[in-house]
Amino acid sequence: MTTAIDGSSMSVPARVWRFLRGPRFIDLPIRLLALIMGLTILVPGSFEIAEPRYAAFLILAYGFIVLAAFLPLSIVIAATGLGMVFSQLYPDLENMYPEALILATAVLISRRRWIGFALGTVGLAAYLFASTQLGSYDAGFEGLTDLGYGWLTYALLGLSASFVEVRIRREIDRRERAAVDHQKTLDAMRARFTSDMHDTISHSLTTESAIIRTLAKETDSENAARLLAELSLVNAEATKRLRQLVTSLSTWEAESCTGDRRSSRIRFRAEAEQLTTAIEDGCTAGSVPLTTSLSPLPAYSSSMLGHHFRAVMLELATNVIRHSTPATPASIEVEMRGEDGDRAELVCRSINETPAALTQAPRSLTRRATAVGGRCRVATDEEERAVVEVALPVRFLAPSAGITSAGPSAGSASVTAAGTRAAVDSDAVMIDVIGDDVLSAPMNDSGASASAMDEGDQETVVERGLGGGPGHPSESTSEGGSITHGGDRPARDDSAGDRNTVDA
């Protein structure tokens, strides 16, 4: 219907040109060839005799040659019959109707009309048989050789033209699909950016609003200080997230092509230093004596590992702010341990005093650690302080590892056990998470369940979490013993090379 509307809106010259050039890319060259062959009638000596009937037959034959590119099947039938008639009338003169028949047969095979091609071949064989019986110009073996060579040549040219047409069509389809896929990717990026921007702003403003409303009602100076510290952390994280979202606009194409956020790397050491500084500043604003310490860390990591690390650190800091004993020192430590070949553990540990013993690990931290094949455990040190430790298994990637490095079997791609500690200090090494299972419930950047992002739930969480207590009132706790392990889950395929991109 659209084609009909477009055709009706075209001008007369445009319609004529569209008819002449044909619907296929190869139609115009074929029709130009037919026109050139038809114009050979103007060559001196084309008319062997001056008889009007002969001239009419000859002009009609050359007209058939031109029309063979437009109406091949009709020309096959007409040229076969008139060719036999011409052979009877002028057996000693050259017959041009077989030329039109052969060209029409070639056009049919270029269109992959196999029945029409077979019909043209049968018509040519019938003409040769009739010519042999009449003893005309194309009779016998010489006629078979001449017309057979022309038939074979034109048939191969027509078949080759059909393959060229198919290849052109396939390339056009491929580029159209690529354009559509690119547009879909662009739309998905825009939707993702808009959604992330909305979620970040909405979640942060909701949390800050809940904290401010609670702070307005608070009369206890210690709880007010905790609220200020938590408000500072929320604001710092929101600012960082917005800055990252804006930065992602310039790098979205690299991530969308691979479909994996691990393919882009981040400056892990610098990010960790900035994050711990923001945590300390937020706690200082709230008069919470929290210190942080970082052991030597790799310079780079995958963006996915950076996402998990940031969420774990903020969750640990929030728990310390909410549930530590007021005016007592607390600390958060980050270190690499357990190096074995190209494998190690990234450990984030909080140490603080609590009014009562902590016996169960926070559920959100446990779920996040378990999702990447790690573990979360709680314990008590020799000073009876609560220790919450999250261990994330990581893989070291050397610059030569590329995207296919999978471990020790990768030869020079892996970092040897003897050089792992030195590799931590190298700016050329990055780390990546070993597994990343999809969580059963989406989690935000602070590690909390997405269901806690509603405004009412945020206010309830803040109000319940300020009073301290033996557990984590703002957290759901995992059921079981005092130590919750998440490492028993098998990690996903370590040889998944698409997670190991190294920006050398």
Side-chain angles (χ1 to χ4, degrees):
M1 188 174 192
T2 304
T3 305
I5 295 175
D6 294 341
S8 63
S9 63
M10 295 176 61
S11 63
V12 175
R15 292 181 185 179
V16 173
W17 169 244
R18 184 176 182 180
F19 170 76
L20 291 177
R21 67 177 174 84
R24 303 181 302 165
F25 292 98
I26 62 174
D27 282 338
L28 183 59
I30 291 176
R31 292 173 180 182
L32 289 176
L33 175 63
L35 179 61
I36 293 173
M37 293 177 63
L39 292 177
T40 56
I41 192 175
L42 303 177
V43 176
S46 298
F47 295 89
E48 298 184 47
I49 60 176
E51 182 182 345
R53 187 177 63 178
Y54 167 78
F57 268 101
L58 190 62
I59 293 173
L60 184 60
Y62 278 99
F64 278 7
I65 291 176
V66 176
L67 292 176
F70 295 87
L71 304 170
L73 186 59
S74 300
I75 298 302
V76 163
I77 299 173
T80 301
L82 291 177
M84 294 181 182
V85 173
F86 187 89
S87 296
Q88 288 180 335
L89 296 177
Y90 307 100
D92 297 329
L93 301 179
E94 184 178 5
N95 192 345
M96 294 303 298
Y97 286 98
E99 299 296 331
L101 176 59
I102 291 174
L103 181 59
T105 304
V107 174
L108 287 170
I109 196 174
S110 72
R111 298 181 181 181
R112 299 198 172 189
R113 296 172 62 177
W114 310 113
I115 297 178
F117 171 74
L119 184 61
T121 304
V122 172
L124 183 62
Y127 166 77
L128 286 172
F129 178 77
S131 297
T132 302
Q133 294 296 321
L134 297 173
S136 62
Y137 183 83
D138 293 320
F141 181 75
E142 292 182 0
L144 176 63
T145 303
D146 184 20
L147 296 180
Y149 178 78
W151 172 87
L152 180 61
T153 301
Y154 278 75
L156 290 178
L157 289 176
L159 190 61
S160 300
S162 71
F163 284 122
V164 171
E165 178 72 17
V166 169
R167 183 166 184 177
I168 292 174
R169 294 292 182 184
R170 287 179 178 174
E171 180 64 17
I172 291 175
D173 293 341
R174 185 190 67 81
R175 295 193 178 190
E176 287 179 348
R177 289 195 300 270
V180 171
D181 292 342
H182 179 76
Q183 185 62 40
K184 289 181 179 179
T185 302
L186 182 61
D187 293 340
M189 184 275 298
R190 289 172 177 169
R192 185 189 68 181
F193 178 80
T194 303
S195 177
D196 289 348
M197 183 72 75
H198 173 271
D199 291 345
T200 299
I201 296 176
S202 176
H203 172 63
S204 301
L205 291 179
T206 300
T207 305
E208 291 178 7
S209 176
I211 294 175
I212 291 173
R213 285 198 300 268
T214 305
L215 184 60
K217 304 174 185 178
E218 187 60 55
T219 57
D220 189 349
S221 60
E222 293 182 354
N223 287 339
R226 293 173 183 268
L227 281 171
L228 288 175
E230 190 168 352
L231 182 62
S232 177
L233 283 181
V234 172
N235 184 269
E237 176 61 15
T239 303
K240 182 179 180 59
R241 281 287 295 156
L242 288 175
R243 185 166 59 249
Q244 289 176 337
L245 287 173
V246 174
T247 304
S248 68
L249 285 177
S250 60
T251 58
W252 70 270
E253 186 172 2
E255 296 182 3
S256 62
C257 289
T258 59
D260 195 344
R261 292 173 61 186
R262 293 181 188 80
S263 59
S264 59
R265 69 178 188 176
I266 62 172
R267 296 183 178 275
F268 181 70
R269 185 186 305 163
E271 290 284 340
E273 291 173 353
Q274 293 177 3
L275 180 60
T276 54
T277 300
I279 291 175
E280 289 183 348
D281 291 343
C283 291
T284 301
S287 301
V288 177
L290 174 66
T291 59
T292 60
S293 64
L294 297 176
S295 67
L297 298 174
Y300 300 98
S301 77
S302 66
S303 59
M304 185 59 69
L305 178 58
H307 167 77
H308 288 296
F309 172 75
R310 183 172 61 251
V312 168
M313 289 290 289
L314 289 174
E315 183 74 13
L316 289 175
T318 302
N319 289 340
V320 169
I321 293 172
R322 292 177 177 178
H323 310 301
S324 63
T325 303
T328 59
S331 63
I332 294 180
E333 303 172 354
V334 180
E335 64 177 353
M336 302 291 298
R337 76 178 183 190
E339 293 89 350
D340 182 13
D342 63 344
R343 305 298 176 88
E345 284 186 335
L346 176 62
V347 179
C348 304
R349 182 187 305 109
S350 67
I351 304 174
N352 61 279
E353 295 184 12
T354 57
L358 181 63
T359 59
Q360 293 182 331
R363 178 175 294 179
S364 60
L365 287 174
T366 300
R367 293 175 66 222
R368 184 173 293 278
T370 303
V372 295
R375 65 183 185 275
C376 175
R377 70 180 185 90
V378 295
T380 303
D381 64 2
E382 61 277 3
E383 299 179 12
E384 300 299 324
R385 296 179 300 177
V387 178
V388 179
E389 181 180 280
V390 179
L392 306 178
V394 296
R395 177 195 298 113
F396 287 94
L397 301 178
S400 60
I403 62 173
T404 58
S405 175
S409 61
S412 62
S414 57
V415 181
T416 61
T420 300
R421 175 60 66 181
V424 171
D425 299 325
S426 173
D427 290 342
V429 174
M430 67 174 280
I431 54 177
D432 187 17
V433 289
I434 294 179
D436 180 27
D437 294 338
V438 179
L439 298 179
S440 58
M443 304 184 75
N444 56 42
D445 286 338
S446 66
S449 174
S451 61
M453 293 177 61
D454 296 335
E455 182 174 355
D457 293 343
Q458 287 288 349
E459 183 174 1
T460 302
V461 168
V462 172
E463 290 177 351
R464 287 191 304 169
L466 294 175
H472 285 203
S474 65
E475 295 264 20
S476 298
T477 55
S478 59
E479 299 177 1
S482 60
I483 298 180
T484 304
H485 296 280
D488 295 334
R489 289 186 60 175
R492 296 204 294 188
D493 189 4
D494 291 346
S495 63
D498 59 341
R499 296 182 177 178
N500 305 332
T501 302
V502 177
D503 185 4

